[in-house]
Amino acid sequence: QVQLVDSGGGLAQPGGSLRLSCAASKSRFSLYLMAWYRQAPGKQRELVATITEDGANYADSVKGRFTISRDNAKNTVYLQMNRLKPEDTAVYYCHARVGTNDYWGQGTQVTVSS
């Protein structure tokens, strides 16, 4: 069982920045496929970014503004969010795939508003 703890959400103004963190409970973190998803009110959960040993991929809506990264020594994945827009408002969830198993963080609220 892998536990994921999301943090770093909050209120930001349009054009501002936030950095989300997701800490995993177990070692061998470097083997995990990590991703961030988000879910806005009344909408389906959508994939924001993924990171593997081959690199990172992003949803078109966040390309050039968000950066996913990982620190395997700290068992942590990050999502740096710049030039935030009101439409980025959502609950953001960390996701890990370990073998055939999927694990989720508890979610962290991001609100972009003036």
Side-chain angles (χ1 to χ4, degrees), residues 10-78:
L11 176 64
Q13 291 190 338
S17 299
L18 286 172
R19 187 175 84 151
L20 306 182
S21 298
C22 171
S25 62
K26 288 200 169 181
S27 60
R28 305 192 74 194
F29 176 76
S30 62
L31 301 179
Y32 303 173
L33 169 64
M34 300 300 299
W36 285 97
Y37 286 73
R38 67 185 181 187
Q39 187 166 18
K43 295 188 177 181
Q44 289 189 328
R45 191 171 296 189
E46 64 173 352
L47 179 63
V48 175
T50 62
I51 186 165
T52 69
E53 59 184 7
D54 295 325
N57 288 285
Y58 300 92
D60 287 343
S61 58
V62 307
K63 275 181 185 176
R65 300 188 298 120
F66 291 10
T67 302
I68 188 171
S69 62
R70 64 193 299 164
D71 185 337
N72 291 335
K74 295 182 178 180
N75 292 355
T76 301
V77 65
Y78 303 97

Side-chain angles (χ1 to χ4, degrees), residues 1-2 51 88 97 113:
Q1 189 80 2
V2 175
I51 186 165
D88 294 320
R97 170 145 310 161
S113 175

